DNA sequence: GATGAATGAGAATTCATTCAT
DNA sequence: TATGAATGAATTCTCATTCAT
């Protein structure tokens, strides 16, 4: 077959992205290395030139995804000019203001169809993201917009609970049902953080136009 | 080998139970049909006489487990002499009063090491159990001990969030950490349901004696 | 493909024998499991039903071969009515009297084309057979036909040296050359054991007819 | 990577030596081309620029090794001022007089952990070295220190037998056992060559000091 | 001369499933 | 009902070799 040489980082990224997509579509276990390389149009050896095993690329995907999310979250959390509520909105809102293609935290809630990747990413996300959010919550407590005893564990519970949106989406719930779930989530978050009702309205924007 | 004939239901149940246990121990994917039949001491053909495929027995296990849980939950929910709080305690407490070996709802939160089964059961549990609990919540609203707008979705969120205990346990958190998480969970539940602080104390019993 | 069921021992023996032959013909490394099963006409799974890995069957072959040889050698060594020289002749002669298809010790010198099997078998043969022969040598010392200080190590050296016939045969030496080598071997054996010249003539029978 | 240009012979020699060492350490089959080039810090293409295949370099190694040994052996054998016994001692003793890093014949008996190389070298050594030694034996016959009929085949047998030291060392025999084997070897050599007992004492030097 | 990304034919192994007995 | 030998497609991974740069 025609041999197409690419810059190593490019090729590597190409494989990671393709694997990422296929793992999300079909699941890690059901997606063979064969599928990945056929999709890209490279030889099997090429895959193993860049990754020493199948689990290895899973790790690479998780790392990549997490790095993006954590970085973007840290950027916001460390912004000195923003209030806690503004930071929350920036992180959890569906705003996509100045969308540059980077992953939003909120998108983690709409994720995948598969187990290994799903869980690995979710658990790691919870573990790595919760301290950042907890720090914002503490700021909010200082600003008297939140009232919580244990910010970290509270955030962790809420994060995990948020998965019920994702898990629910596996069953093909209707848009109406999903909207109801999103509203409830907002309410519980507000209550759990001791925030004023409606302060997290940005999570459920009123879409006047479709 | 000696051919041991058993009543079909007995044999079937034996296979389901063994598979259930092994799936929980090693995970569905890593547990081969071979392992199951060797454990029981039965031939491959026997397995396929009772179940037409491996996914087939997974379903059987989920069905069986859920049926037990749902039945026990329904029994409590339909008890006319109990208050909503009493029902909550009966379902979520670690009481084990009159322990007859049957699965408690609370145990669902301390579940397994594996994915397919874990998730399948959890999702189904959430879906099938949440209406029952929602009904109790509504009773509680009538009794003025709860105050919630959308009992069903709220329950579903809380159920999913409860998994952060399970997921956390996969990381070998310490007993102290787990206790902190349990306390936070209680607080959020109370806030989400609009219950009086401390009303779900039964979830975190004070263990005076070791 | 047509499914032909056989008695397990029969099938197992069939696989061992075929593998044995192919390993000797092409060498262990160059002989794939695929080759073996194609030769027999069974499925790959069948191979792995009987042997858990490729090294596993190598061991089975060595074991089988050695067991046969050691057994036949022990039978002769323990025969109380024979002199040491008669035992030597029985073991090392090319007599094939009453040939029953079983492996003769002498045949070990005409063995294989491959490494792993060759070496494994040879080393094991030397280790397991040398004590038996050493015991005969001691008997011979008692009967004043031999005179050696260290029967065991002497036997081991001679055994290893005998491989030069085998190794030589890898280069396709002529019959004349091989005969010369056999004669020299006889001489050295006699000298090493302190035996009378010509007492090991049975190793180089005069073939009047072809 | 930095491209380091070297004189062709130097580069070639570097590859041969590295491969030689790695083959001896890990075995020919288990040692990939990758390992070799990584060790040197050179690209794959470079390897294939100098050697057209993996078997090709094996041959190069054997050739190089043999050339060294044969040359050093010839040098001794052709020395007109030495007696046959002196030549034997020079070749087989552990003397290392004037050690210049070159391979001694005696070291061939203590050789490697691997098969392909081991056997190839040994067989070739036997074939190429035996005529040289045989010539010395003949000189010794003339000097009345040896008495043999067929020097060449005798030498070949003894060479092969000597491998039992090497093979034995694969089993981790103790120093005591190895010493016993070395003594026996000496005895057999003396007997086979018709030499006076003790004339090959140089093979088993008495080590008074540690 | 040198690089190293890319190739692809195999290799060993697994395991859900079938079927003759 | 039960057995267990037999199946074979699929999977992961290796590595000698090639070739565009």
């Amino acid at each position: 077959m025609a041999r197409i040489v690419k810059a190593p980082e490019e090729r590597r990224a190409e494989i990671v992205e393709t694997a990422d997509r296929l793992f999300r579509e079909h699941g890690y276990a059901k997606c063979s290395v064969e599928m990945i390389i056929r999709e890209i149009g490279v030889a099997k050896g090429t895959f193993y030139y860049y990754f020493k095993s199948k689990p290895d690329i899973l790790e690479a995907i998780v790392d990549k995804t997490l790095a993006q999310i954590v970085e973007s979250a840290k950027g916001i959390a460390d912004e000195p000019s923003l209030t806690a509520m503004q930071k929350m909105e920036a992180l959890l809102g569906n705003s996509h203001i100045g969308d540059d293609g980077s992953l939003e935290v909120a998108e983690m809630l709409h994720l995948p169809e598969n187990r290994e990747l799903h869980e690995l990413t979710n658990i790691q996300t919870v573990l790595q993201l919760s301290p950042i959010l907890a720090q914002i919550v503490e700021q909010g407590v200082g600003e008297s917009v939140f009232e919580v005893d244990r910010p970290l564990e509270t955030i962790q519970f809420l994060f995990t609970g948020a998965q019920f949106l994702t898990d629910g989406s596996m069953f093909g719930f209707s848009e109406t049902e999903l909207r109801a779930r999103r509203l409830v989530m907002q309410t519980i978050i507000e209550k759990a953080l001791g925030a004023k009702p409606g302060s997290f309205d940005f999570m459920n924007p009123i879409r006047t136009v479709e």
Side-chain angles (χ1 to χ4, degrees), chain A:
Chain A
M1 201 161 268
R3 175 185 292 224
I4 293 156
V5 180
K6 293 196 179 179
E9 311 83 54
E10 195 183 339
R11 195 27 64 83
R12 205 191 127 94
E14 186 182 10
I15 299 175
V16 168
E17 269 152 43
T18 307
D20 193 1
R21 178 162 50 81
L22 293 179
F23 285 172
R24 286 182 206 286
E25 274 170 33
H26 311 101
Y28 173 75
K30 280 190 200 141
C31 187
S32 65
V33 172
E34 180 70 31
M35 278 179 71
I36 299 169
I37 58 141
R38 203 158 41 204
E39 180 86 7
I40 310 180
V42 295
K44 224 176 239 165
T46 307
F47 179 93
Y48 283 94
Y49 180 73
Y50 287 97
F51 303 96
K52 71 175 209 301
S53 73
K54 204 187 160 192
D56 199 53
I57 201 179
L58 187 62
E59 213 186 301
I61 293 173
V62 174
D63 287 352
K64 181 204 71 172
T65 311
L66 271 176
Q68 289 177 0
I69 294 173
V70 168
E71 188 196 17
S72 111
K74 269 206 179 112
I76 291 168
D78 293 343
E79 189 62 56
S81 62
L82 298 178
T83 66
M85 274 318 297
Q86 284 170 326
K87 288 177 182 176
M88 279 289 172
E89 179 163 2
L91 281 172
L92 304 178
N94 292 318
S95 44
H96 288 271
I97 299 164
D99 198 326
D100 55 355
S102 69
L103 265 176
E104 303 278 323
V105 176
E107 285 176 43
M108 290 308 290
L109 310 176
H110 298 266
L111 273 179
E113 307 287 307
N114 83 82
R115 295 276 159 264
E116 284 82 357
L117 190 55
H118 175 74
E119 295 284 334
L120 252 179
T121 318
N122 271 2
I123 292 175
Q124 283 301 324
T125 308
V126 169
L127 286 178
Q128 298 197 22
L129 227 42
S130 53
I132 301 175
L133 280 157
Q135 173 194 331
I136 300 178
V137 170
E138 269 162 19
Q139 179 187 342
V141 170
E143 296 169 357
S144 302
V145 292
F146 298 149
E147 192 186 338
V148 218
D149 267 355
R150 297 182 160 274
L152 185 64
E153 285 85 1
T154 302
I155 284 294
Q156 285 176 344
F157 181 96
L158 294 174
F159 247 122
T160 318
Q163 288 177 23
F164 94 124
L165 277 176
T166 314
D167 291 354
S169 77
M170 289 185 186
F171 284 82
F173 281 134
S174 70
E175 186 50 41
T176 314
E177 283 169 319
L178 286 173
R179 178 153 182 79
R181 287 163 160 251
R182 241 181 278 125
L183 282 166
V184 164
M185 183 163 80
Q186 180 189 333
T187 308
I188 295 180
I189 289 175
E190 289 166 354
K191 287 179 176 169
L193 297 181
K196 240 203 309 260
S199 51
F200 278 75
D201 272 349
F202 58 79
M203 292 186 76
N204 288 287
I206 301 147
R207 300 182 194 259
T208 19
V209 197
E210 162 24 7

